[in-house]
């Protein structure tokens, strides 16, 4: 469910950012996540939303739309990761979500693709949402990007990409995967997307 910190720190923003969304439920959370980089967003609310998104990226089943529309697809294209994720003990480290993202070209269900696209966008914007990436890239981030402060616009991924030749193998592969994902859809190019959306 939604944490008390999330409710406390984001309560006053609902009317500003998501006035047409019902007070509770996954629609409100999704709307707030979509507005994380708006000027009206507070630092405390953004921090709480990021913590919540981290939990969602660690557990496939905490993502209502992905769970609803991608459950069967995930079971088929990532069977071992699906079985591990069903344990619901967070030891899967977000592997199921990562697996279906990597195998996104195999997905035929439009609703699943659209639900997954939001999660892909979140990871491209902040690769540290993926628990496995945090583990793989921890030393590289400390070495090359310790001064980078992520605002959810892909800053850490871009910093790591600038040091691609010097990254550890696992981190380098992960950064390449997310950079490829970012290049596939204009929505990942946040500034350009916002300009086009406003036009």
């Amino acid at each position: 469910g939604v944490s008390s910190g999330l409710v406390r720190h984001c309560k006053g923003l609902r009317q500003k950012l998501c006035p047409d969304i019902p007070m509770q439920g996954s629609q409100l959370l999704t709307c707030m996540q979509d507005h994380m980089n708006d000027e009206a967003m507070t630092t405390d609310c953004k921090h709480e939303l990021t913590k919540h998104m981290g939990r969602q990226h660690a557990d496939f089943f905490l993502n209502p739309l992905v769970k609803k529309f991608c459950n069967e697809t995930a079971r088929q294209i990532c069977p071992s990761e699906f079985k591990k994720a069903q344990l619901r003990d967070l030891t899967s480290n977000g592997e199921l979500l990562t697996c279906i993202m990597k195998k996104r070209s195999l997905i035929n269900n439009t609703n699943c693709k659209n639900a997954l696209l939001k999660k892909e966008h979140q990871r491209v914007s902040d690769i540290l949402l993926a628990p496995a990436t945090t583990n793989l890239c921890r030393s590289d981030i400390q070495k090359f990007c310790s001064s980078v402060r992520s605002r959810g616009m892909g800053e850490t991924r871009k910093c790591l990409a600038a040091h691609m030749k010097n990254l550890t193998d696992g981190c380098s592969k992960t950064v390449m995967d997310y950079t490829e994902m970012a290049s596939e859809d204009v929505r990942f190019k946040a500034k350009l997307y916002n300009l086009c959306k406003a036009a």
Side-chain angles (χ1 to χ4, degrees), residues 115-127:
L116 190 59
L117 190 62
K118 276 199 177 297
K119 296 295 143 192
E120 290 172 7
H121 177 71
Q122 289 172 353
R123 283 206 183 168
V124 165
S125 299
D126 185 355
I127 64 171

Side-chain angles (χ1 to χ4, degrees), residues 87-106:
L87 297 174
R88 303 295 308 271
D89 62 1
L90 300 180
T91 59
S92 71
N93 234 5
E95 291 171 16
L96 180 55
L97 209 47
T98 300
C99 179
I100 60 175
M101 285 179 187
K102 285 182 179 179
K103 295 181 178 184
R104 62 193 174 280
S105 64
L106 302 175

Side-chain angles (χ1 to χ4, degrees), residues 2 9 18 31 52 66 90 101 107 117 121 142 146-147 156 161 176 180 183-184 196:
V2 175
H9 293 296
C18 305
C31 178
H52 185 78
V66 175
L90 300 180
M101 285 179 187
I107 299 173
L117 190 62
H121 177 71
Q142 288 173 347
S146 61
S147 64
T156 304
M176 284 193 304
E180 178 183 321
S183 71
E184 291 177 0
C196 292

Side-chain angles (χ1 to χ4, degrees), residues 69-93:
F69 295 119
C70 301
N71 200 53
E72 193 52 43
T73 299
R75 183 191 316 268
Q76 291 172 2
I77 65 175
C78 301
S80 62
E81 291 86 351
F82 188 86
K83 191 174 261 189
K84 194 172 180 181
Q86 282 183 306
L87 297 174
R88 303 295 308 271
D89 62 1
L90 300 180
T91 59
S92 71
N93 234 5

Side-chain angles (χ1 to χ4, degrees), residues 14-189:
R14 186 194 78 74
Q15 199 56 40
K16 264 186 206 168
L17 301 175
C18 305
D20 300 327
I21 306 296
M23 192 63 176
Q24 296 177 335
S26 63
Q27 282 183 313
L28 179 59
L29 196 54
T30 299
C31 178
M32 294 296 284
Q33 289 170 348
D34 288 346
H35 289 282
M36 282 181 62
N37 292 313
D38 284 15
E39 285 182 26
M41 180 59 66
T42 64
T43 303
D44 288 342
C45 181
K46 187 171 185 172
H47 176 74
E48 290 297 325
L49 285 166
T50 301
K51 281 185 359 188
H52 185 78
M53 286 168 37
R55 288 189 293 274
Q56 287 182 313
H57 282 268
D59 185 346
F60 172 88
F61 296 104
L62 291 178
N63 298 281
L65 293 178
V66 175
K67 178 183 168 187
K68 178 179 179 178
F69 295 119
C70 301
N71 200 53
E72 193 52 43
T73 299
R75 183 191 316 268
Q76 291 172 2
I77 65 175
C78 301
S80 62
E81 291 86 351
F82 188 86
K83 191 174 261 189
K84 194 172 180 181
Q86 282 183 306
L87 297 174
R88 303 295 308 271
D89 62 1
L90 300 180
T91 59
S92 71
N93 234 5
E95 291 171 16
L96 180 55
L97 209 47
T98 300
C99 179
I100 60 175
M101 285 179 187
K102 285 182 179 179
K103 295 181 178 184
R104 62 193 174 280
S105 64
L106 302 175
I107 299 173
N108 297 319
N109 178 324
T110 303
N111 289 328
C112 176
K113 282 182 182 181
N114 290 336
L116 190 59
L117 190 62
K118 276 199 177 297
K119 296 295 143 192
E120 290 172 7
H121 177 71
Q122 289 172 353
R123 283 206 183 168
V124 165
S125 299
D126 185 355
I127 64 171
L128 298 180
L129 287 172
T133 301
T134 303
N135 294 335
L136 283 171
C137 295
R138 180 175 284 119
S139 65
D140 292 310
I141 291 168
Q142 288 173 347
K143 186 174 182 178
F144 302 112
C145 306
S146 61
S147 64
V148 172
R149 295 293 163 243
S150 179
R151 295 182 333 267
M153 304 291 275
E155 297 90 351
T156 304
R157 176 183 50 81
K158 291 171 189 171
C159 175
L160 289 170
H163 297 280
M164 190 67 81
K165 287 188 248 175
N166 301 314
L167 300 179
T168 57
D169 290 342
C171 184
S172 174
K173 170 81 174 97
T174 299
V175 171
M176 284 193 304
D177 288 346
Y178 286 120
T179 300
E180 178 183 321
M181 197 182 291
S183 71
E184 291 177 0
D185 193 302
V186 73
R187 283 173 275 198
F188 296 145
K189 297 170 180 71

